[in-house]
Amino acid sequence: MKLTRVLATTLALCSAALSFSATPVYLDESKTLEERVEDALSRMTLEEKIGIIHAQSKFSAPGVPRLGISEIWCTDGPMGVRPEVLWDEWEQAQWTNDSCTAFPSLTCLAATWDPEMAALYGKSIGEEARFRNKAVILGPGVNIYRTPLCGRNFEYMGEDPYLSGKMAIDYVKGVQGNGVAVCVKHFALNNNEINRHTSNPIVDDRTLYEIYLPAFKAAAIDGGAWSFMGGYNLFRGEHASYNPILMNDILKGEWNWDGAVISDWGAVHDTETAVTGGLDMEFGSWTNGLTNGVSNAYDNYWLANPYLNGIKEGKFSEKELDDKVRRVLRLTFRTAMNRNRPWGSMGSDEHRDACRKIGAEGIVLLKNQGNLLPLDPAKVKKIAVIGENAIKMMTVGGGSSSLKARYEVTPLEGLKRRFGKDFDIVYERGYVGDTLGEYNGVKTNQDLRDFRTVEQLTSDAVKAAKEADIVLYFGGLNKSDHQDAEDSDRLSMVLPYGQDELIEAICKANKNTVVVNISGTGVAMPWADKVQAILQAWYLGNETGNAIADVLSGDVNPSGKLPYTYYADLMQCGAHKLGEYPGTPAKDKFGNDIFDIPYNEGIYVGYRFIDKNNLKPTFPFGHGLSYTTFKYGKATVDKTEGVKGDSFTVSVPVTNTGNREGKETVELFISDLKSSVDRPVKELKGFSKVSLAPGETKTVTFSVNEYDLSFFDADKHEWVCEPGDFEALIGASSADIRSKVKFSVR
Ligand code: BGC
């Protein structure tokens, strides 16, 4: 064994020396990717192979300096390029050239229901990552919104696998067009932040395949993602980052995916399973990178010396290692060593415009009683802006997605810029929430301290409300712990800092109250019936205030729709009503404490649970209003009967019946009218956003294929389309079905 290895190393070194004069195959871009990978692999020593599969710093892996194979530099993601941190620490490197364009949160992107917005987002953020010379951007996140309490919902794309998948595809393509890899995260079942390293979801295969995997599959196969990040959590007792079922059987096996699996930062706990469980690159195992070794802590990573020694001792073969190295080389050649990739750019006017456009397109008008919005200077003179979120910068905080933004326009600034001439705008704080404004050394430099008592703050807000024609209340959540933040979940759906009481008091003082809720997840709205209008705005990045003003003014007609259900309370959510959250104590195979979380609600996540139990949420999945109105005509299908394997074309005319140009997202749900298994009342299988001038009609068409009609049969381990009758339901939301048409498969 030892002699063979010495010979292989000598041969590798000789072949490198011999190829001195001609361009070696691995550097020759006229060769295929696989030829280059095999050539590079054949030249590498065992130590070099081990070298490239683990980190050399907080965010980089070393490549092979001797062969000129580049380092791989990663960066968070997913909503902007993270500022540089120190080599071995999370703390800032204090660079002065790393302020980025902060884009809207991914929930906002999903709320646009527009793959073109996803493409624009991906292209723009990819350009920023490319300019900063990053090979990998750590995003997008496509974990399913299982509970409104999950601290990272704002980094994901909602509750529906179809919507998340469709939006992920174009994000991935947009980023990778820059020669920058996405790293789709967190594969899989990372659905809560509480106990995130020790959560062990208990999920059956059908639920896994129908709910929790499709968005990842879409990103991997249709998007062509070059890398994936494993989650911190476990699945069936094994950590996700090197879970043989998720990584080997599904991702690399069934999906035949050729990319590289990167661990989440500090998600690896054991060499043996990391070797065999399908992990290709290890990052972040010890947070300061120093304390676990004599000379270089990175040599002590699970996939470093322990792996090297294991191979030398004959404990592991080199087969798995070569597979990992091939995947890392592919990633390198596709990104850092791709001579044809564009140059990228940062902070361009185009990125600013993209940020504002995506933000405005994603804002959701939830309610607009009496058409109070858009704001009309003929009717309104004085506006009271109330609430901390009108002045709070939100690009800093929330965990690894925290950014150092080039600038951030707050809602109040945006309103003053847009309406300063039209209206008298007064501001009142109303409540004091999070005054910190710092994350990992990046500071907003806002001083948000306010020493008034709650009573004083409330009475000042009520006074301002009484004296104004209209109140714009800006509240919701922020990026501090137990809100929209990594590593902790929310403690309840209730708005923090006594906002419910404050909103009630404001409503009493002024009936023209508009609530702009800024959050990345659903909150309880017990006052929803008392306010005139509600806008769901997200974390919108640099252009927050401008994008919100665009919608409040009517410069942009709102067209966002909810990517998740707005539950009235937690008992409307299957995970809380039936499932266990946050789990019960158990032990892993090493005897460590973990939490088993039975996903008893199964496939009944979000609107699937609402439909099954006939519940009335505050706002349903897919809901969103416009300043105009749309009429849906009768849905038709190209054939009422077909055979298995056929595609059906469903069409519906949609007319703008108002007097403003607007966009409407038409949603297609499929219902299996009779099935041998329990199926959801309906499932989203298509959507299309159309722009319509007043009076204009367009016909929207959807193609429905066999897969869209299928369920996952766990016993057969395949998707099954059962012959029988189906119904296509065309709706403006999951609770607002406008037309239905039946067809059958024989
Ligand atoms: C997060 C990842 C992130 C990584 C690197 C982890 O804590 O879960 O999403 O990409 O850190 O910052």
Side-chain angles (χ1 to χ4, degrees), residues 609-626:
F609 188 77
I610 294 284
D611 282 351
K612 183 179 167 74
N613 297 289
N614 230 332
L615 302 172
K616 197 174 172 331
T618 311
F619 296 107
F621 170 78
H623 169 73
L625 304 172
S626 162

Side-chain angles (χ1 to χ4, degrees), residues 677-699:
V677 297
D678 199 19
R679 294 197 70 176
V681 172
K682 61 181 184 295
E683 295 183 276
L684 185 76
K685 294 295 173 186
F687 59 90
S688 176
K689 194 164 188 172
V690 278
S691 179
L692 295 165
E696 191 183 6
T697 300
K698 279 184 188 158
T699 295

Side-chain angles (χ1 to χ4, degrees), residues 119 218 261 333 341 348 431 499 516 530 567 577 656 690:
V261 172
F333 292 148
R341 60 183 181 155
S348 65
Y431 67 92
Q499 290 181 75
V516 181
K530 297 186 187 143
Y567 303 116
K577 177 89 178 165
N656 181 342
V690 278

Side-chain angles (χ1 to χ4, degrees), residues 110-415:
T112 68
W113 291 64
D114 187 352
E116 274 180 31
M117 289 299 113
L120 176 65
Y121 195 123
K123 175 176 179 289
S124 310
I125 197 173
E127 282 169 354
E128 300 232 339
R130 169 64 189 103
F131 185 81
R132 286 268 305 283
N133 258 323
K134 304 300 179 190
V136 181
I137 187 150
L138 305 173
V142 296
N143 292 100
I144 290 294
Y145 179 119
R146 175 175 180 253
T147 156
L149 302 189
C150 173
R152 292 184 90 170
N153 282 340
F154 72 103
E155 292 188 61
Y156 304 143
M157 296 205 259
E159 73 185 30
D160 185 74
Y162 182 86
L163 175 64
S164 310
K166 282 283 176 226
M167 298 305 287
I169 293 169
D170 288 274
Y171 179 113
V172 170
K173 288 183 180 164
V175 169
Q176 294 191 164
N178 292 288
V180 173
V182 293
C183 186
V184 185
K185 64 194 190 183
H186 306 88
F187 190 62
L189 298 157
N190 188 169
N191 305 113
N192 49 267
E193 286 299 293
I194 183 172
N195 307 323
R196 64 176 176 165
H197 292 270
T198 49
S199 286
N200 183 37
I202 315 249
V203 185
D204 60 80
D205 269 1
R206 181 169 174 210
T207 304
L208 181 69
Y209 278 78
E210 290 192 16
I211 304 293
Y212 295 101
L213 293 184
F216 287 102
K217 186 177 179 189
I221 297 180
D222 303 321
W226 293 330
S227 77
F228 257 49
M229 184 189 290
Y232 282 130
N233 55 289
L234 301 97
F235 170 58
R236 298 193 182 149
E238 199 58 79
H239 276 93
S241 284
Y242 39 89
N243 187 296
I245 302 173
L246 294 174
M247 300 303 179
N248 293 337
D249 300 351
I250 298 175
L251 179 60
K252 296 177 178 179
E254 289 171 24
W255 301 349
N256 198 20
W257 179 75
D258 72 357
V261 172
I262 297 178
S263 72
D264 199 342
W265 267 234
V268 185
H269 311 274
D270 150 48
T271 298
E272 190 162 341
T273 340
V275 168
T276 53
L279 176 67
D280 301 313
M281 292 185 98
E282 179 186 2
F283 275 90
S285 289
W286 293 288
T287 49
N288 68 6
L290 290 172
T291 47
N292 227 285
V294 224
S295 57
N296 179 8
Y298 297 95
D299 290 342
N300 291 322
Y301 270 34
W302 303 103
L303 287 185
N305 284 347
Y307 190 12
L308 181 66
N309 295 336
I311 290 177
K312 287 183 179 166
E313 288 155 13
K315 200 168 159 203
F316 307 116
S317 80
E318 281 185 53
K319 187 171 145 275
E320 292 93 357
L321 177 63
D322 284 351
D323 182 57
K324 295 179 201 306
V325 172
R326 284 191 180 95
R327 289 171 185 275
V328 177
L329 288 170
R330 256 177 231 131
L331 180 64
T332 314
F333 292 148
R334 283 167 166 160
T335 58
M337 291 181 75
N338 169 2
R339 285 200 186 90
N340 298 319
R341 60 183 181 155
W343 297 106
S345 57
M346 254 184 99
S348 65
D349 291 355
E350 287 78 9
H351 296 174
R352 178 201 59 210
D353 295 348
C355 175
R356 183 165 178 169
K357 187 166 186 189
I358 296 163
E361 291 267 324
I363 290 173
V364 186
L365 180 64
L366 293 173
K367 175 177 177 179
N368 193 16
Q369 203 162 303
N371 293 331
L372 195 61
L373 297 177
L375 297 171
D376 182 352
K379 294 188 194 145
V380 177
K381 292 288 165 250
K382 188 165 182 182
I383 296 184
V385 175
I386 301 177
E388 182 171 286
N389 283 352
I391 57 166
K392 185 169 172 57
M393 287 165 69
M394 298 279 199
T395 50
V396 173
S400 55
S401 63
S402 180
L403 296 170
K404 182 160 125 192
R406 298 173 76 79
Y407 63 91
E408 183 175 339
V409 181
T410 63
L412 185 61
E413 283 161 3
L415 291 172

Side-chain angles (χ1 to χ4, degrees), residues 388 391-393 429 432 434-435 446-450:
E388 182 171 286
I391 57 166
K392 185 169 172 57
M393 287 165 69
R429 180 77 169 262
V432 177
D434 172 41
T435 55
Q446 285 190 301
D447 184 0
L448 292 182
R449 286 171 304 170
D450 189 322

Side-chain angles (χ1 to χ4, degrees), residues 498-510:
Q499 290 181 75
D500 287 346
E501 294 75 22
L502 178 64
I503 295 170
E504 301 269 355
I506 291 170
C507 288
K508 275 194 196 132
N510 190 326

